[in-house]
Amino acid sequence: MWRDHLTEIIVFTTLFLLVSVMGFVAARWRAPRDMAHLDEWGLGGRSFGGWITWFLVGGDLYTAYTFVAVPALVFGAGAMGFFAVPYTIVIYPMVFLVLCRLWSVSHRHGFVTPADFVRSRFDSPVLALVVAVTGIVATMPYIALQLVGIEAVLKTMGVTGESALARHLPIIIAFAILAAYTYQSGLRAPALIAFVKDTLIYVVILVAVLWLPQKLGGWGSIFDAAEAKFQATAQNPNDGILLNANNQLQYVTLAFGSALALFLYPHSITGVLASRNRDVIKRNMSALPAYSLVLGLIALLGYMAIAAGVKPLPGSTPGSADANTVVPVLFDQQFPDWFAGVAYAAIGIGALVPAAIMSIAAANLFTRNIYKEYLKRDASPAQEANVSKITSLVVKVGAVACIVFLDPQFSIDLQLIGGVIILQTLPAVALGLYTRWFHRGALIAGWAAGMGLGMWMLYQIPNPATKRAHFGGSAFPLGDFGFDTKKTIYVGIVAVLVNLLVAALVTLALRAAKVDAGRDGTTPDDYFADEGDPRVTPGPARDADAAPEPVA
């Protein structure tokens, strides 16, 4: 009953309302020139410095879903759940130079989305449309998963009801408030709130990893309890506190594939493009791995929950358990009510920041690469901003609908599908920043091949826990490809490799047939431009040999 959690509810509500007020105030933060412009509303005026970018990008990548799902995976499967730690370490050296180039060319041409860059680089509105739609589709379930994090907290506090409306009403109210201040303040709202969100998470995690091991008998007892649990249940022979020969390939490919996908997501790129200059990005790529330390500590909460004897709350279907409630229940059982309330607020606010950025990123994609490209080519900056604001509201409504009408467990599996989907934009976006060798038609063919194979592989994977025959995960058995092995591999890696292979072969064929590849709308020096460099007029692709045209 909620009355047993009154202190937790009061603390949670107070902090939630505090950040909501900050969200509305953010519209006046850093004196925007004109909020009726996509650069101001959707990218914060492209003016964020080192600290703001660090909190914004960190708050964007390390979400409420991370807080509840990573420990839940460790709680249920053991070592496999730690894949999130190496992938968030290796990603930053990988994208260090890539993101600098993307920022520079976007700064020069006024690009707001990765699809804007693809449109100019490859002279292909169709390829840009493919990238934009892919980004929107991959982002939608990611937003819905932030609601899963909030729902786990509300369920633990007893703020739920029997009917569907009563069960989801608190989430609907929370997202209505989020929609209101995002509509008014744009990217400035999550940027300002990220300071509070990250501070709360750091405090909660540091207290937890210092206090809980002492209370649970030390780390030796915690790991012994985890090992005993996995040996006793043996639901999956690959579960345990160590990897084995069958799941090591899955672990490596999942970590590497997730790293490749992370900064292809539109919301990740949005945070980067809001930076003031290249130096801000360089410093952040050096400093952001600090979040990985916290992520490793968050993952260990799964083992602590095992040692504490935590039982997840019942799921939405009879006889099932909601693994996402593992961390909230752990804090509810092991800490005073007031501190549990702070932890719940950290999770709840941790959902608002990325959800806001994701909805803005998806709205920007629709506005620049669908609305302006195909519906109203002469749209003014004010019209663009207004369409993006409205679209961000629609995106949030869609995310809420995913939670209300779909099993939350299926939403989680949808996010795994989202990672496979967004990876198919890697050749056009990431490789396109370094080379224009790929033909625009070949990139579309590669995307179609990778997407088709990826969806087929995902369709073949069952989920025994939810008794679903298809789309039950991202670990594909190599035996289904005819190999005599029980090993599995991450679907996204296989799909993107096929994507690249098809793109390369079709490029050779199209070049041999002398099919027009279009004209590059960028020049080599665009990729090294910095703050203060002259900008050119964004628009249709121009001749690579032509001189940049200064903005009037």
Side-chain angles (χ1 to χ4, degrees):
M1 290 293 293
W2 65 268
R3 292 183 181 85
D4 298 329
H5 302 276
L6 188 58
T7 302
E8 298 168 358
I9 295 172
I10 292 174
V11 173
F12 175 87
T13 304
T14 301
L15 290 172
F16 192 92
L17 292 176
L18 170 64
V19 299
S20 298
V21 172
M22 292 175 63
F24 287 106
V25 171
R28 300 179 180 85
W29 180 48
R30 301 179 64 84
R33 292 189 300 272
D34 181 12
M35 285 296 285
H37 195 290
L38 212 53
D39 267 13
E40 292 291 347
W41 184 84
L43 291 179
R46 302 180 189 257
S47 63
F48 293 159
W51 279 107
I52 299 174
T53 302
W54 191 74
F55 280 104
L56 177 66
V57 176
D60 187 12
L61 302 182
Y62 301 90
T63 68
Y65 174 65
T66 302
F67 207 128
V68 299
V70 171
L73 182 57
V74 172
F75 178 88
M80 182 56 68
F82 283 92
F83 84 93
V85 178
Y87 105 67
T88 58
I89 294 173
V90 303
I91 179 61
Y92 298 110
M94 288 169 53
V95 302
F96 185 93
L97 296 176
V98 173
L99 293 180
C100 288
R101 293 174 69 91
L102 178 61
W103 183 93
S104 290
V105 71
S106 299
H107 168 76
R108 266 284 175 88
H109 292 266
F111 298 152
V112 176
T113 70
D116 282 349
F117 161 71
V118 170
R119 168 71 171 87
S120 182
R121 177 67 151 162
F122 295 99
D123 192 13
S124 174
V126 176
L127 181 59
L129 176 65
V130 166
V131 171
V133 172
T134 302
I136 294 171
V137 171
T139 300
M140 284 298 295
Y142 218 149
I143 302 174
L145 287 183
Q146 307 314 310
L147 295 176
V148 171
I150 298 179
E151 189 171 54
V153 166
L154 296 175
K155 184 184 293 188
T156 305
M157 293 191 295
V159 189
T160 56
E162 295 300 325
S163 67
L165 178 62
R167 186 166 65 252
H168 296 296
L169 184 60
I171 292 179
I172 295 172
I173 294 173
F175 253 53
I177 296 172
L178 169 68
Y181 65 66
T182 303
Y183 184 90
Q184 175 178 315
S185 304
L187 193 65
R188 284 175 169 81
L192 187 59
I193 295 171
F195 285 94
V196 177
K197 173 252 186 186
D198 289 353
T199 300
L200 286 176
I201 286 182
Y202 271 98
V203 170
V204 169
I205 294 304
L206 290 176
V207 170
V209 298
L210 292 175
W211 169 254
L212 287 177
Q214 298 182 42
K215 193 172 182 181
L216 298 174
W219 287 107
S221 298
I222 292 173
F223 282 100
D224 288 344
E227 180 64 15
K229 178 214 172 185
F230 292 123
Q231 290 180 350
T233 55
Q235 293 180 348
N236 186 330
N238 292 331
D239 294 347
I241 64 172
L242 296 175
L243 299 173
N244 59 43
N246 291 331
N247 61 11
Q248 289 174 356
L249 179 63
Q250 169 69 16
Y251 182 91
V252 171
T253 54
L254 178 58
F256 184 64
S258 299
L260 292 176
L262 188 60
F263 275 96
L264 291 172
Y265 277 106
H267 58 276
S268 303
I269 293 176
T270 295
V272 170
L273 295 186
S275 303
R276 185 169 56 222
N277 53 42
R278 287 167 64 98
D279 283 345
V280 169
I281 299 173
K282 292 176 181 178
R283 290 196 299 269
N284 271 273
M285 293 304 104
S286 301
L288 279 168
Y291 277 95
S292 301
L293 171 63
V294 179
L295 181 58
L297 300 177
I298 291 174
L300 287 172
L301 292 175
Y303 286 156
M304 296 181 200
I306 294 175
V310 167
K311 301 294 182 185
L313 296 178
S316 56
T317 56
S320 66
D322 185 357
N324 293 311
T325 60
V326 165
V327 169
V329 171
L330 174 66
F331 279 95
D332 182 53
Q333 294 179 355
Q334 300 296 322
F335 286 100
D337 289 349
W338 68 268
F339 188 80
V342 172
Y344 296 161
I347 298 174
I349 298 170
L352 298 182
V353 172
I357 304 172
M358 291 170 189
S359 65
I360 290 171
N364 289 345
L365 282 168
F366 174 83
T367 300
R368 291 298 291 262
N369 308 115
I370 299 177
Y371 174 76
K372 186 167 184 176
E373 183 73 48
Y374 294 96
L375 302 178
K376 190 173 178 60
R377 284 183 171 272
D378 60 346
S380 67
Q383 289 173 325
E384 284 185 355
N386 190 53
V387 169
S388 199
K389 289 179 180 180
I390 295 172
T391 305
S392 73
L393 297 180
V394 175
V395 168
K396 293 183 185 70
V397 171
V400 173
C402 286
I403 294 298
V404 173
F405 298 109
L406 293 178
D407 182 347
Q409 180 59 48
F410 187 59
S411 298
I412 294 171
D413 292 333
L414 278 179
Q415 196 275 330
L416 296 174
I417 297 172
V420 176
I421 290 174
I422 200 65
L423 260 177
Q424 306 317 310
T425 65
L426 184 144
V429 178
L431 297 185
L433 287 165
Y434 280 92
T435 178
R436 199 177 178 275
W437 180 81
F438 289 103
H439 193 284
R440 54 187 178 179
L443 288 170
I444 296 173
W447 173 89
M451 196 70 71
L453 176 63
M455 292 301 102
W456 175 82
M457 293 172 69
L458 290 167
Y459 182 80
Q460 306 300 316
I461 301 174
N463 188 329
T466 58
K467 299 180 181 179
R468 195 168 59 251
H470 308 289
F471 295 110
S474 62
F476 188 82
L478 286 177
D480 288 3
F481 281 142
F483 294 99
D484 184 17
T485 179
K486 295 182 179 179
K487 294 181 179 180
T488 58
I489 191 170
Y490 176 51
V491 170
I493 286 291
V494 178
V496 78
L497 288 176
V498 169
N499 182 340
L500 287 167
L501 177 62
V502 171
L505 294 176
V506 175
T507 293
L508 293 174
L510 292 177
R511 291 192 182 281
K514 300 188 183 303
V515 177
D516 182 25
R519 295 188 298 176
D520 188 355
T522 68
T523 59
D525 65 303
D526 288 344
Y527 298 91
F528 301 94
D530 208 342
E531 183 182 19
D533 284 359
R535 292 176 62 179
V536 298
T537 303
R542 54 187 175 82
D543 193 331
D545 297 326
E549 301 171 7
V551 175

